Amino acid sequence: MSTHAPGHRFETLRRKMVQQQLTGVADPRVREAMGKVPREHFVPGVMKPRAYEDGPLPIAAGQTISQPRIVARMTELLDLHGDEKVLEIGTGSGYQTAVLALLAREVVSVERHGELARAAHKRLNELGLGGVTVLVSDGTLGRSDYAPFGAVLVTAGAPEVPQRLIEQLEVGGRLVIPVGDAKDQKLVRVTREPDGSDGSLSWREERFDDCRFVPLVGRFGWKES
Ligand code: SAH
């Protein structure tokens, strides 16, 4: 992967980020991927010096690029083996998309803001990342035209788990999503299980870290205010 920022400065900051910020993330593949993706490529020009800070940063359209430790943690919870087709909801800057692209076979990423989707698509292309499709749509509906998915990652906060996203998982597939109110959410992991004998949808739910995301706005998310 080529970085477009000059010099070793960003590389040093990136190595430090992995060592000092990703303390709660043990998966070596996730740590390696986080050590490869040039985060400075995904933040606005004036924010580049702050690209490796331990926090979220503003991007366009009033949205944010998530904190590195949260990106890593969510990726770890997806438990990717490398052969999955992954659906990401909330492309934003495309940073999380790039991390997923290094760890899965194919990534379909959807974003409701056309402006963000176009910019993210351009950045991902510039890095020469293959196997990525960026689409503009309401992610709360999933993407039945690309389903089923081995994993689904939602990077915006939802009031509840949209059932359609569970329906679009393969059996054994994992969905990771922040669920809660507008201010506080918890990371929830849903693992799809074989349908019941009556054909009913079946899954297991686990709860993890506290987090705070921008809202998931759509038909099965928050209503636009
Ligand atoms: N993964 C991103 C984080 C972006 S913040 C990154 O690494 O930069 C969450 C994003 O979700 C925002 O860009 C927001 O516009 C988008 N979003 C919110 N609701 C959505 C929906 N229903 N469908 C698709 N995208 C949505």
Side-chain angles (χ1 to χ4, degrees):
M1 190 185 300
S2 66
T3 57
H4 87 337
H8 302 293
R9 195 164 60 91
F10 284 127
E11 272 173 46
T12 307
L13 290 172
R14 194 180 314 133
R15 207 172 320 116
K16 277 195 184 153
M17 174 197 80
V18 173
Q19 287 165 0
Q20 295 171 4
Q21 297 175 32
L22 307 189
T23 46
V25 178
D27 188 331
R29 291 167 306 169
V30 174
R31 297 178 67 89
E32 193 188 19
M34 295 289 294
K36 279 189 186 156
V37 179
R39 188 167 161 92
E40 70 277 8
H41 186 66
F42 292 88
V43 304
V46 292
M47 292 287 164
K48 289 195 195 297
R50 298 179 55 190
Y52 292 94
E53 280 182 11
D54 187 10
L57 290 170
I59 55 172
Q63 305 302 316
T64 55
I65 175 172
S66 310
Q67 187 177 19
R69 62 173 74 234
I70 286 285
V71 171
R73 183 70 178 131
M74 292 179 107
T75 308
E76 178 175 54
L77 290 175
L78 282 180
D79 193 19
L80 297 171
H81 300 281
D83 56 349
E84 293 90 350
K85 192 201 297 184
V86 181
L87 174 65
E88 180 196 20
I89 296 164
T91 315
S93 67
Y95 176 66
Q96 170 82 71
T97 321
V99 173
L100 294 173
L102 293 182
L103 295 167
R105 175 170 54 83
E106 192 183 338
V107 184
V108 178
S109 185
V110 304
E111 168 57 53
R112 64 188 284 264
H113 290 292
E115 171 200 359
L116 292 177
R118 278 186 296 278
H121 182 246
K122 183 165 169 277
R123 291 186 195 110
L124 293 160
N125 266 346
E126 285 164 358
L127 293 183
L129 279 170
V132 179
T133 308
V134 180
L135 304 165
V136 180
S137 62
D138 175 3
T140 67
L141 304 172
R143 283 304 302 210
S144 54
D145 49 347
Y146 287 85
F149 301 101
V152 176
L153 179 59
V154 182
T155 66
E160 57 192 53
V161 182
Q163 174 137 337
R164 292 207 182 184
L165 301 184
I166 306 178
E167 288 166 4
Q168 292 178 21
L169 277 178
E170 289 164 5
V171 170
R174 288 83 54 203
L175 158 67
V176 172
I177 179 170
V179 180
D181 60 28
K183 283 190 179 157
D184 300 290
Q185 301 109 35
K186 258 196 191 330
L187 292 181
V188 173
R189 176 166 64 188
V190 173
T191 305
R192 182 155 182 196
E193 296 187 332
D195 290 350
S197 50
D198 57 352
S200 58
L201 192 64
S202 185
W203 70 90
R204 180 160 53 88
E205 256 182 56
E206 299 159 280
R207 300 170 77 77
F208 297 93
D209 320 38
D210 291 326
C211 54
R212 184 175 188 164
F213 278 83
V214 297
L216 180 73
V217 177
R219 172 125 176 251
F220 297 107
W222 297 101
K223 301 293 161 259
E224 199 151 9
S225 54

